[in-house]
Coordinates of all heavy atoms in Angstrom, one line a residue:
M18 N 0.8 -1.2 0.0 CA 0.0 0.0 0.0 C 0.9 1.2 0.0 O 1.9 1.3 0.7 CB -0.9 0.0 1.2 CG -1.8 1.2 1.4 SD -3.5 0.7 1.3 CE -4.3 2.3 1.4
Q19 N 0.5 2.2 -0.8 CA 1.3 3.4 -0.9 C 1.2 4.3 0.3 O 0.3 4.2 1.1 CB 0.9 4.2 -2.2 CG -0.3 5.0 -2.0 CD -1.6 4.2 -2.2 OE1 -1.6 3.0 -2.3 NE2 -2.7 4.9 -2.2
I20 N 2.2 5.1 0.5 CA 2.2 6.1 1.6 C 2.0 7.5 1.0 O 2.7 7.8 0.0 CB 3.5 6.0 2.4 CG1 3.7 4.6 3.0 CG2 3.6 7.1 3.4 CD1 5.1 4.4 3.5
Q21 N 1.2 8.3 1.5 CA 0.9 9.6 1.0 C 1.5 10.6 2.0 O 1.1 10.5 3.2 CB -0.6 9.9 0.8 CG -0.8 11.3 0.3 CD -2.3 11.5 -0.1 OE1 -3.0 10.6 -0.4 NE2 -2.8 12.7 0.1
N22 N 2.3 11.5 1.6 CA 2.9 12.6 2.4 C 2.8 13.9 1.7 O 2.7 14.0 0.5 CB 4.3 12.3 2.8 CG 4.4 11.1 3.7 OD1 3.8 11.1 4.7 ND2 5.3 10.1 3.3
E23 N 3.0 15.0 2.5 CA 3.2 16.3 1.8 C 4.6 16.3 1.3 O 5.5 15.7 1.7 CB 3.0 17.4 2.9 CG 1.6 17.7 3.2 CD 1.5 18.9 4.1 OE1 2.4 19.8 4.1 OE2 0.4 19.1 4.7
S24 N 4.7 17.2 0.2 CA 6.1 17.3 -0.4 C 7.0 17.9 0.7 O 6.7 18.8 1.5 CB 6.0 18.4 -1.5 OG 7.3 18.8 -1.9
P25 N 8.2 17.4 0.7 CA 9.2 17.9 1.7 C 9.8 19.2 1.3 O 10.6 19.9 2.0 CB 10.3 16.8 1.7 CG 10.2 16.2 0.4 CD 8.8 16.2 0.0
Y26 N 9.5 19.7 0.1 CA 10.1 20.9 -0.5 C 9.2 22.1 -0.4 O 8.0 22.0 -0.7 CB 10.6 20.7 -1.9 CG 11.4 19.5 -2.0 CD1 11.0 18.3 -2.7 CD2 12.7 19.4 -1.4 CE1 11.8 17.2 -2.8 CE2 13.5 18.3 -1.5 CZ 13.1 17.2 -2.2 OH 13.8 16.1 -2.2
I27 N 9.7 23.3 -0.2 CA 8.9 24.5 -0.2 C 8.7 24.9 -1.7 O 7.6 25.3 -2.1 CB 9.7 25.6 0.5 CG1 9.8 25.3 2.0 CG2 8.9 27.0 0.3 CD1 10.8 26.2 2.8
V28 N 9.7 24.7 -2.5 CA 9.6 25.0 -3.9 C 10.2 23.8 -4.7 O 11.4 23.4 -4.4 CB 10.4 26.3 -4.3 CG1 10.4 26.5 -5.8 CG2 9.8 27.5 -3.5
H29 N 9.5 23.3 -5.6 CA 10.0 22.2 -6.4 C 9.9 22.6 -7.9 O 8.8 22.9 -8.4 CB 9.1 20.9 -6.2 CG 9.8 19.7 -6.6 ND1 9.4 18.4 -6.2 CD2 10.9 19.5 -7.5 CE1 10.2 17.5 -6.7 NE2 11.1 18.1 -7.5
V30 N 11.1 22.7 -8.5 CA 11.2 23.3 -9.8 C 11.5 22.1 -10.8 O 12.4 21.3 -10.6 CB 12.5 24.2 -9.9 CG1 12.6 24.8 -11.3 CG2 12.4 25.3 -8.8
F31 N 10.6 22.0 -11.8 CA 10.8 21.0 -12.8 C 11.2 21.6 -14.1 O 10.5 22.6 -14.6 CB 9.5 20.3 -13.0 CG 9.0 19.5 -11.8 CD1 8.2 20.1 -10.9 CD2 9.4 18.2 -11.6 CE1 7.7 19.4 -9.7 CE2 9.0 17.4 -10.5 CZ 8.1 18.0 -9.5
V32 N 12.3 21.1 -14.7 CA 12.7 21.6 -16.0 C 12.6 20.5 -17.0 O 13.2 19.4 -16.9 CB 14.2 22.1 -15.9 CG1 14.7 22.6 -17.2 CG2 14.4 23.1 -14.8
C33 N 11.8 20.8 -18.0 CA 11.6 19.7 -19.0 C 12.8 19.6 -19.9 O 13.3 20.6 -20.5 CB 10.4 20.1 -19.9 SG 10.2 18.9 -21.3
T34 N 13.4 18.5 -19.9 CA 14.6 18.2 -20.8 C 14.3 17.2 -21.8 O 15.2 16.6 -22.3 CB 15.8 17.8 -19.9 OG1 15.4 16.6 -19.2 CG2 16.2 18.9 -18.9
N35 N 13.0 17.0 -22.1 CA 12.6 16.0 -23.1 C 13.3 16.3 -24.4 O 13.3 17.5 -24.9 CB 11.1 16.0 -23.3 CG 10.6 14.8 -24.1 OD1 11.2 13.7 -24.0 ND2 9.6 15.0 -24.9
D36 N 13.8 15.3 -25.0 CA 14.6 15.4 -26.3 C 14.0 14.5 -27.4 O 14.1 13.3 -27.2 CB 16.1 15.2 -26.0 CG 16.9 15.5 -27.3 OD1 16.4 15.8 -28.3 OD2 18.1 15.4 -27.1
R37 N 13.4 15.1 -28.4 CA 12.9 14.2 -29.5 C 13.9 14.2 -30.7 O 13.5 13.7 -31.8 CB 11.6 14.8 -30.0 CG 10.5 14.7 -28.9 CD 9.1 14.9 -29.5 NE 8.1 14.7 -28.6 CZ 7.5 15.7 -27.9 NH1 7.9 16.9 -28.1 NH2 6.6 15.4 -27.0
G38 N 15.1 14.6 -30.4 CA 16.2 14.5 -31.4 C 15.8 15.3 -32.7 O 16.3 14.9 -33.8
G39 N 15.0 16.3 -32.6 CA 14.7 17.1 -33.8 C 13.6 16.6 -34.7 O 13.2 17.2 -35.6
E40 N 13.1 15.4 -34.3 CA 11.9 14.9 -35.1 C 10.7 15.7 -34.9 O 9.9 15.9 -35.9 CB 11.6 13.4 -34.7 CG 12.7 12.5 -35.2 CD 12.4 11.0 -34.8 OE1 11.2 10.7 -34.5 OE2 13.3 10.2 -34.8
R41 N 10.5 16.2 -33.7 CA 9.4 17.2 -33.4 C 10.0 18.1 -32.4 O 11.0 17.8 -31.7 CB 8.2 16.5 -32.8 CG 7.4 15.8 -33.8 CD 6.3 14.9 -33.1 NE 5.5 15.7 -32.1 CZ 4.9 15.0 -31.0 NH1 5.0 13.8 -30.9 NH2 4.3 15.8 -30.1
K42 N 9.3 19.3 -32.2 CA 9.8 20.2 -31.2 C 9.9 19.6 -29.9 O 9.0 18.9 -29.4 CB 8.9 21.5 -31.2 CG 9.3 22.5 -32.2 CD 8.5 23.8 -31.9 CE 9.2 24.9 -32.6 NZ 8.6 26.2 -32.3
S43 N 10.9 20.0 -29.1 CA 11.0 19.5 -27.7 C 11.9 20.5 -26.9 O 12.7 21.3 -27.6 CB 11.5 18.1 -27.6 OG 12.8 18.0 -28.1
C44 N 11.7 20.5 -25.7 CA 12.4 21.5 -24.9 C 14.0 21.4 -25.0 O 14.7 22.4 -24.9 CB 12.0 21.4 -23.4 SG 10.3 22.0 -23.1
A45 N 14.5 20.3 -25.2 CA 15.9 20.1 -25.4 C 16.5 20.8 -26.6 O 17.7 21.1 -26.6 CB 16.3 18.6 -25.4
D46 N 15.6 21.2 -27.5 CA 16.0 21.9 -28.7 C 16.7 23.2 -28.4 O 17.5 23.7 -29.2 CB 14.9 22.2 -29.7 CG 14.2 20.9 -30.2 OD1 14.8 19.9 -30.1 OD2 13.1 21.1 -30.8
N47 N 16.4 23.8 -27.2 CA 16.9 25.1 -26.9 C 17.5 25.1 -25.5 O 17.2 26.0 -24.6 CB 15.7 26.1 -27.0 CG 15.3 26.4 -28.4 OD1 16.1 26.8 -29.2 ND2 14.1 26.0 -28.7
N48 N 18.4 24.2 -25.3 CA 19.3 24.2 -24.1 C 18.6 24.0 -22.8 O 19.1 24.6 -21.8 CB 20.1 25.6 -24.1 CG 21.1 25.7 -25.1 OD1 21.8 24.7 -25.5 ND2 21.3 26.9 -25.7
S49 N 17.5 23.3 -22.7 CA 16.9 23.0 -21.5 C 17.8 22.3 -20.4 O 17.6 22.6 -19.2 CB 15.5 22.3 -21.6 OG 15.7 21.0 -22.2
Q50 N 18.6 21.4 -20.9 CA 19.5 20.8 -20.0 C 20.5 21.8 -19.3 O 20.8 21.7 -18.1 CB 20.4 19.7 -20.6 CG 21.2 18.9 -19.7 CD 20.4 18.1 -18.6 OE1 19.6 17.3 -19.0 NE2 20.7 18.3 -17.4
L51 N 20.9 22.8 -20.1 CA 21.8 23.8 -19.5 C 21.0 24.7 -18.6 O 21.5 25.1 -17.5 CB 22.4 24.7 -20.7 CG 23.4 25.7 -20.3 CD1 24.6 25.1 -19.5 CD2 23.9 26.5 -21.5
V52 N 19.8 25.0 -18.9 CA 18.9 25.7 -18.0 C 18.8 25.0 -16.7 O 19.0 25.6 -15.6 CB 17.5 25.9 -18.6 CG1 16.5 26.5 -17.5 CG2 17.6 26.9 -19.8
K53 N 18.6 23.7 -16.7 CA 18.4 22.9 -15.5 C 19.7 22.9 -14.7 O 19.7 23.1 -13.5 CB 18.0 21.5 -15.9 CG 17.6 20.6 -14.7 CD 18.5 19.5 -14.4 CE 18.1 18.7 -13.2 NZ 19.0 17.6 -12.9
D54 N 20.8 22.7 -15.4 CA 22.1 22.6 -14.7 C 22.4 24.0 -14.0 O 22.9 24.0 -12.9 CB 23.2 22.3 -15.7 CG 23.1 20.8 -16.2 OD1 22.4 20.0 -15.6 OD2 23.8 20.5 -17.2
Q55 N 22.1 25.0 -14.7 CA 22.4 26.4 -14.2 C 21.5 26.7 -13.0 O 21.9 27.3 -12.0 CB 22.3 27.4 -15.2 CG 23.4 27.4 -16.2 CD 23.4 28.5 -17.2 OE1 22.5 29.3 -17.3 NE2 24.5 28.7 -18.0
L56 N 20.2 26.3 -13.1 CA 19.3 26.5 -12.0 C 19.7 25.7 -10.8 O 19.7 26.2 -9.6 CB 17.9 26.1 -12.4 CG 17.0 27.2 -12.9 CD1 15.6 26.6 -13.4 CD2 16.7 28.3 -11.8
K57 N 20.1 24.5 -11.0 CA 20.5 23.6 -9.9 C 21.7 24.2 -9.2 O 21.8 24.2 -7.9 CB 20.8 22.2 -10.4 CG 21.0 21.2 -9.3 CD 21.0 19.8 -9.9 CE 21.2 18.7 -8.8 NZ 20.5 18.8 -7.6
K58 N 22.7 24.6 -10.0 CA 23.9 25.2 -9.4 C 23.5 26.4 -8.6 O 24.1 26.7 -7.5 CB 24.8 25.5 -10.5 CG 26.2 25.9 -10.0 CD 27.2 26.1 -11.2 CE 28.5 26.6 -10.8 NZ 29.4 27.0 -11.9
A59 N 22.7 27.3 -9.1 CA 22.3 28.5 -8.5 C 21.5 28.3 -7.2 O 21.8 28.9 -6.1 CB 21.5 29.4 -9.4
V60 N 20.7 27.3 -7.2 CA 19.9 26.9 -6.0 C 20.8 26.3 -4.9 O 20.7 26.7 -3.8 CB 18.7 25.9 -6.4 CG1 18.2 25.2 -5.2 CG2 17.6 26.7 -7.1
D61 N 21.7 25.5 -5.4 CA 22.7 25.0 -4.4 C 23.5 26.1 -3.8 O 23.8 26.1 -2.6 CB 23.7 24.0 -5.1 CG 23.0 22.6 -5.4 OD1 21.9 22.4 -4.9 OD2 23.6 21.9 -6.2
G62 N 23.9 27.1 -4.6 CA 24.7 28.2 -4.1 C 23.9 29.1 -3.1 O 24.6 29.8 -2.3
K63 N 22.6 29.0 -3.1 CA 21.8 29.8 -2.2 C 21.7 29.1 -0.8 O 21.1 29.6 0.1 CB 20.4 30.0 -2.8 CG 20.4 31.0 -3.9 CD 20.6 32.4 -3.4 CE 20.4 33.4 -4.6 NZ 20.6 34.8 -4.1
G64 N 22.1 27.8 -0.8 CA 22.0 27.1 0.5 C 20.6 26.6 0.8 O 20.3 26.4 1.9
W65 N 19.9 26.3 -0.3 CA 18.5 25.9 -0.1 C 18.3 24.4 -0.1 O 17.2 23.9 -0.3 CB 17.6 26.5 -1.2 CG 17.4 28.0 -1.0 CD1 17.5 28.7 0.1 CD2 17.1 28.9 -2.1 NE1 17.2 30.1 -0.2 CE2 17.0 30.2 -1.5 CE3 17.0 28.8 -3.5 CZ2 16.8 31.4 -2.3 CZ3 16.7 29.9 -4.2 CH2 16.6 31.2 -3.7
K66 N 19.4 23.7 0.0 CA 19.3 22.2 -0.1 C 18.3 21.7 0.9 O 18.2 22.1 2.1 CB 20.7 21.6 0.3 CG 20.8 20.1 0.0 CD 22.2 19.7 0.3 CE 22.3 18.2 0.2 NZ 22.5 17.6 -1.1
G67 N 17.4 20.8 0.4 CA 16.3 20.3 1.2 C 15.1 21.1 1.3 O 14.1 20.7 1.8
K68 N 15.2 22.3 0.8 CA 14.0 23.2 0.7 C 13.5 23.5 -0.7 O 12.4 23.7 -1.0 CB 14.3 24.6 1.5 CG 14.6 24.4 2.9 CD 15.0 25.7 3.5 CE 15.3 25.5 5.0 NZ 15.9 26.7 5.6
V69 N 14.5 23.6 -1.6 CA 14.2 23.8 -3.0 C 14.8 22.7 -3.8 O 16.0 22.4 -3.6 CB 14.8 25.2 -3.5 CG1 14.5 25.4 -5.0 CG2 14.2 26.4 -2.7
R70 N 14.1 22.1 -4.6 CA 14.5 21.0 -5.4 C 14.4 21.3 -6.9 O 13.4 21.8 -7.3 CB 13.7 19.7 -5.1 CG 14.2 18.5 -5.8 CD 15.3 17.8 -5.1 NE 15.8 16.7 -5.9 CZ 16.8 15.9 -5.5 NH1 17.5 16.2 -4.4 NH2 17.2 14.9 -6.2
V71 N 15.5 21.1 -7.6 CA 15.4 21.2 -9.1 C 15.4 19.8 -9.7 O 16.4 19.1 -9.5 CB 16.6 22.1 -9.6 CG1 16.5 22.2 -11.1 CG2 16.6 23.5 -8.9
S72 N 14.4 19.5 -10.4 CA 14.3 18.2 -11.0 C 14.1 18.2 -12.5 O 13.6 19.2 -13.0 CB 13.1 17.4 -10.4 OG 13.3 17.2 -9.0
T73 N 14.5 17.2 -13.2 CA 14.2 17.1 -14.6 C 12.8 16.5 -14.8 O 12.4 15.7 -14.0 CB 15.2 16.1 -15.2 OG1 16.6 16.6 -15.1 CG2 14.9 15.7 -16.6
S74 N 12.1 17.1 -15.8 CA 10.9 16.5 -16.1 C 10.8 16.0 -17.5 O 11.6 16.5 -18.3 CB 9.7 17.5 -15.8 OG 9.3 18.1 -17.0
G75 N 9.9 15.1 -17.8 CA 9.6 14.7 -19.1 C 8.7 15.7 -19.7 O 8.4 16.8 -19.1
C76 N 8.1 15.4 -20.9 CA 7.2 16.4 -21.6 C 6.0 16.7 -20.7 O 5.4 15.9 -20.1 CB 6.8 15.7 -22.9 SG 5.6 16.7 -23.8
M77 N 5.8 18.1 -20.7 CA 4.6 18.6 -20.0 C 3.5 19.0 -20.9 O 2.6 19.7 -20.5 CB 5.0 19.7 -19.1 CG 6.1 19.3 -18.0 SD 5.5 18.0 -16.9 CE 4.7 19.1 -15.7
G78 N 3.7 18.8 -22.2 CA 2.6 19.0 -23.2 C 2.5 20.4 -23.8 O 1.6 20.6 -24.6
V79 N 3.5 21.2 -23.6 CA 3.5 22.5 -24.2 C 4.9 22.7 -24.9 O 5.5 23.7 -24.8 CB 3.3 23.6 -23.2 CG1 1.8 23.7 -22.9 CG2 4.1 23.5 -21.9
C80 N 5.2 21.7 -25.7 CA 6.5 21.6 -26.3 C 6.9 22.8 -27.2 O 8.0 23.2 -27.3 CB 6.6 20.3 -27.2 SG 5.7 19.0 -26.4
G81 N 5.9 23.3 -27.9 CA 6.2 24.4 -28.8 C 6.6 25.7 -28.1 O 7.1 26.7 -28.7
E82 N 6.4 25.8 -26.8 CA 6.7 27.0 -26.0 C 8.0 26.7 -25.2 O 8.3 27.5 -24.3 CB 5.6 27.3 -25.0 CG 4.3 27.6 -25.7 CD 4.4 28.8 -26.6 OE1 5.0 29.8 -26.1 OE2 3.9 28.8 -27.7
G83 N 8.7 25.6 -25.4 CA 9.8 25.3 -24.6 C 11.0 26.1 -24.8 O 11.1 26.8 -25.8
P84 N 12.0 26.0 -23.9 CA 12.0 25.2 -22.7 C 11.1 25.7 -21.7 O 10.9 26.9 -21.4 CB 13.5 25.3 -22.2 CG 14.3 25.7 -23.4 CD 13.3 26.5 -24.3
N85 N 10.4 24.7 -21.0 CA 9.4 25.0 -20.0 C 10.0 24.7 -18.6 O 10.6 23.6 -18.4 CB 8.2 24.2 -20.2 CG 7.5 24.6 -21.5 OD1 6.9 25.7 -21.5 ND2 7.5 23.8 -22.5
V86 N 9.7 25.6 -17.7 CA 10.1 25.4 -16.3 C 8.9 25.6 -15.4 O 8.2 26.6 -15.5 CB 11.2 26.4 -15.9 CG1 11.5 26.3 -14.4 CG2 12.5 26.3 -16.7
M87 N 8.6 24.6 -14.6 CA 7.4 24.6 -13.8 C 7.8 24.6 -12.3 O 8.7 23.9 -11.9 CB 6.5 23.3 -14.1 CG 5.9 23.3 -15.4 SD 7.1 23.0 -16.8 CE 7.7 21.4 -16.5
I88 N 7.0 25.4 -11.5 CA 7.3 25.5 -10.1 C 6.1 25.1 -9.3 O 5.0 25.7 -9.5 CB 7.8 27.0 -9.7 CG1 9.1 27.3 -10.4 CG2 7.9 27.1 -8.2 CD1 9.6 28.7 -10.1
Y89 N 6.2 24.1 -8.5 CA 5.2 23.7 -7.6 C 5.6 23.7 -6.2 O 6.7 23.6 -5.8 CB 4.8 22.2 -8.0 CG 4.0 22.2 -9.3 CD1 4.6 22.1 -10.5 CD2 2.6 22.4 -9.3 CE1 3.9 22.1 -11.7 CE2 1.9 22.4 -10.5 CZ 2.5 22.3 -11.7 OH 1.8 22.4 -12.9
P90 N 4.6 23.9 -5.2 CA 3.2 23.9 -5.4 C 2.6 25.2 -5.8 O 1.4 25.4 -5.8 CB 2.7 23.4 -4.0 CG 3.7 24.0 -3.1 CD 5.0 23.9 -3.8
Q91 N 3.4 26.2 -6.1 CA 2.9 27.5 -6.5 C 2.3 27.6 -7.8 O 1.7 28.6 -8.2 CB 4.1 28.6 -6.3 CG 4.6 28.7 -4.9 CD 5.6 27.6 -4.5 OE1 6.0 26.8 -5.3 NE2 6.0 27.7 -3.2
K92 N 2.4 26.6 -8.6 CA 1.8 26.5 -9.9 C 2.2 27.6 -10.9 O 1.4 28.3 -11.5 CB 0.3 26.4 -9.8 CG -0.2 25.2 -9.1 CD -1.7 24.9 -9.4 CE -2.6 25.9 -8.7 NZ -4.0 25.5 -8.8
L93 N 3.5 27.9 -10.9 CA 4.0 28.9 -11.9 C 4.7 28.2 -13.0 O 5.4 27.2 -12.8 CB 5.1 29.8 -11.1 CG 4.5 30.6 -9.9 CD1 5.6 31.3 -9.3 CD2 3.4 31.5 -10.4
W94 N 4.5 28.7 -14.2 CA 5.1 28.1 -15.4 C 5.9 29.2 -16.1 O 5.4 30.3 -16.3 CB 4.1 27.5 -16.3 CG 3.6 26.2 -15.9 CD1 3.1 25.8 -14.7 CD2 3.4 25.0 -16.8 NE1 2.7 24.5 -14.8 CE2 2.9 24.0 -16.0 CE3 3.7 24.8 -18.2 CZ2 2.6 22.8 -16.6 CZ3 3.4 23.6 -18.7 CH2 2.9 22.5 -17.9
F95 N 7.1 28.9 -16.5 CA 7.9 29.7 -17.4 C 8.1 29.0 -18.7 O 8.4 27.8 -18.7 CB 9.2 30.1 -16.8 CG 9.2 30.7 -15.4 CD1 9.1 30.0 -14.3 CD2 9.2 32.1 -15.3 CE1 9.0 30.6 -13.0 CE2 9.1 32.7 -14.1 CZ 9.0 32.0 -13.0
S96 N 7.9 29.7 -19.8 CA 8.1 29.1 -21.1 C 9.2 29.9 -21.8 O 9.5 31.1 -21.5 CB 6.8 29.1 -21.9 OG 5.9 28.3 -21.2
R97 N 9.7 29.3 -22.9 CA 10.8 29.9 -23.7 C 11.9 30.4 -22.8 O 12.5 31.5 -23.0 CB 10.2 31.0 -24.5 CG 9.1 30.6 -25.4 CD 8.6 31.7 -26.3 NE 7.4 31.2 -27.0 CZ 6.7 31.9 -27.9 NH1 7.2 33.1 -28.2 NH2 5.6 31.5 -28.4
V98 N 12.3 29.6 -21.8 CA 13.3 29.9 -20.9 C 14.7 29.6 -21.5 O 14.9 28.5 -22.0 CB 13.2 29.2 -19.6 CG1 14.3 29.5 -18.6 CG2 11.9 29.4 -19.0
S99 N 15.6 30.6 -21.5 CA 16.9 30.4 -22.0 C 17.9 30.4 -20.8 O 17.5 30.9 -19.8 CB 17.3 31.4 -23.0 OG 17.7 32.6 -22.4
P100 N 19.1 30.0 -21.0 CA 20.1 30.1 -19.9 C 20.2 31.6 -19.4 O 20.5 31.8 -18.2 CB 21.4 29.6 -20.5 CG 20.9 28.6 -21.6 CD 19.7 29.2 -22.1
D101 N 20.0 32.5 -20.3 CA 20.0 33.9 -19.9 C 18.9 34.3 -18.9 O 19.0 35.4 -18.3 CB 20.0 34.9 -21.1 CG 21.2 34.8 -21.9 OD1 22.3 34.3 -21.4 OD2 21.2 35.2 -23.1
D102 N 17.9 33.5 -18.8 CA 16.7 33.8 -17.9 C 16.8 33.2 -16.6 O 15.9 33.3 -15.7 CB 15.4 33.3 -18.6 CG 15.2 33.9 -20.0 OD1 15.4 35.2 -20.1 OD2 14.8 33.2 -20.9
V103 N 17.9 32.4 -16.3 CA 18.0 31.7 -15.1 C 18.0 32.7 -13.9 O 17.3 32.4 -12.9 CB 19.3 30.8 -15.1 CG1 19.6 30.3 -13.6 CG2 19.1 29.6 -16.0
D104 N 18.6 33.8 -14.0 CA 18.6 34.7 -12.9 C 17.2 35.2 -12.5 O 16.8 35.4 -11.4 CB 19.5 35.9 -13.2 CG 21.0 35.6 -13.0 OD1 21.3 34.5 -12.4 OD2 21.8 36.4 -13.4
A105 N 16.4 35.5 -13.6 CA 15.0 35.9 -13.4 C 14.2 34.8 -12.7 O 13.4 35.1 -11.8 CB 14.4 36.3 -14.7
V106 N 14.4 33.6 -13.1 CA 13.6 32.5 -12.4 C 14.1 32.4 -11.0 O 13.3 32.2 -10.1 CB 13.8 31.1 -13.2 CG1 13.2 30.0 -12.5 CG2 13.3 31.3 -14.6
L107 N 15.4 32.5 -10.8 CA 15.9 32.4 -9.4 C 15.4 33.5 -8.6 O 15.1 33.3 -7.4 CB 17.5 32.5 -9.5 CG 18.2 32.1 -8.2 CD1 18.0 30.6 -8.0 CD2 19.7 32.5 -8.3
S108 N 15.2 34.7 -9.1 CA 14.6 35.8 -8.3 C 13.1 35.4 -7.9 O 12.7 35.8 -6.7 CB 14.5 37.1 -9.2 OG 15.8 37.5 -9.4
V109 N 12.4 34.8 -8.7 CA 11.1 34.3 -8.4 C 11.1 33.3 -7.2 O 10.4 33.4 -6.3 CB 10.3 33.8 -9.6 CG1 9.0 33.2 -9.1 CG2 10.0 34.9 -10.6
I110 N 12.1 32.4 -7.4 CA 12.2 31.4 -6.3 C 12.6 32.0 -5.0 O 12.1 31.7 -3.9 CB 13.3 30.3 -6.7 CG1 12.8 29.5 -7.9 CG2 13.6 29.4 -5.6 CD1 13.9 28.7 -8.6
E111 N 13.4 33.0 -5.1 CA 13.9 33.8 -3.9 C 12.7 34.5 -3.2 O 12.5 34.4 -2.0 CB 14.9 34.8 -4.3 CG 15.7 35.3 -3.2 CD 17.1 35.7 -3.6 OE1 17.3 36.2 -4.8 OE2 18.1 35.6 -2.8
R112 N 11.8 35.0 -4.0 CA 10.6 35.7 -3.5 C 9.7 34.6 -2.8 O 9.2 34.8 -1.7 CB 9.8 36.4 -4.6 CG 8.5 37.0 -4.1 CD 7.8 37.7 -5.2 NE 7.5 37.0 -6.4 CZ 6.5 36.1 -6.5 NH1 5.7 35.9 -5.4 NH2 6.3 35.4 -7.6
L113 N 9.5 33.4 -3.5 CA 8.7 32.4 -2.9 C 9.3 31.9 -1.6 O 8.6 31.7 -0.6 CB 8.6 31.3 -3.9 CG 7.9 31.5 -5.2 CD1 8.0 30.4 -6.1 CD2 6.4 31.9 -4.9
M114 N 10.6 31.9 -1.5 CA 11.2 31.4 -0.2 C 11.1 32.5 0.8 O 10.9 32.1 2.0 CB 12.7 31.2 -0.5 CG 13.0 29.9 -1.3 SD 12.4 28.4 -0.5 CE 13.6 28.3 0.8
S115 N 11.1 33.7 0.5 CA 10.9 34.8 1.5 C 9.5 34.8 2.0 O 9.3 35.3 3.1 CB 11.3 36.1 0.9 OG 10.4 36.6 0.0
E116 N 8.6 34.4 1.2 CA 7.1 34.3 1.6 C 6.8 33.1 2.3 O 5.7 33.0 2.9 CB 6.3 34.5 0.3 CG 6.4 35.8 -0.4 CD 5.7 35.9 -1.7 OE1 5.2 34.8 -2.2 OE2 5.6 37.0 -2.3
A117 N 7.6 32.1 2.3 CA 7.3 30.8 2.9 C 7.3 30.9 4.5 O 8.0 31.7 5.0 CB 8.3 29.7 2.4
Ligands
LIG27 S1 9.1 18.6 -24.7 FE1 9.1 20.0 -23.0 S2 7.0 20.3 -22.7 FE2 7.0 18.8 -24.3

């Protein structure tokens, strides 16, 4: 039998890194893995380990708008995110952490 618990994270960031190899649009077409790596490094640098988690996600169904970054449980979505946008996403996470 499964166990149900609340998320242990205040902010859980999912970065879609789905890669269709160019056959159809996918988030990996535009450096989503680099976005994820940079976000993870930035979050680690803030000392939020155990409070903010950056995870890879599979396709979230809005591939044409990728790279997509989703933040839960706050239900925020960022689309067309480039590595240059990581600081802006981090600022939002910082605000969410200050409000927690
Ligand atoms: S490939 Fe990222 S949302 Fe579909």
Side-chain angles (χ1 to χ4, degrees):
M18 177 119 184
Q19 79 279 7
I20 298 171
Q21 180 176 330
N22 289 309
E23 284 190 15
S24 169
Y26 307 114
I27 297 168
V28 177
H29 200 160
V30 183
F31 295 91
V32 181
C33 175
T34 58
N35 189 38
D36 187 353
R37 295 197 176 94
E40 288 182 18
R41 284 172 47 207
K42 273 192 160 186
S43 59
C44 289
D46 295 346
N47 290 299
N48 289 324
S49 62
Q50 184 62 54
L51 184 57
V52 168
K53 191 247 178 176
D54 292 346
Q55 289 186 349
L56 263 177
K57 189 167 178 49
K58 189 175 175 186
V60 163
D61 287 349
K63 290 285 185 181
W65 291 332
K66 190 177 173 86
K68 295 178 181 168
V69 179
R70 181 82 184 180
V71 179
S72 299
T73 296
S74 96
C76 178
M77 300 297 275
V79 284
C80 324
E82 299 298 317
N85 292 291
V86 176
M87 292 70 66
I88 296 181
Y89 285 92
Q91 293 84 4
K92 296 199 291 189
L93 300 175
W94 282 47
F95 300 88
S96 295
R97 301 182 190 184
V98 179
S99 80
D101 290 342
D102 299 320
V103 166
D104 284 347
V106 175
L107 196 67
S108 293
V109 171
I110 297 169
E111 198 150 34
R112 177 178 56 78
L113 295 171
M114 289 299 287
S115 73
E116 294 171 353

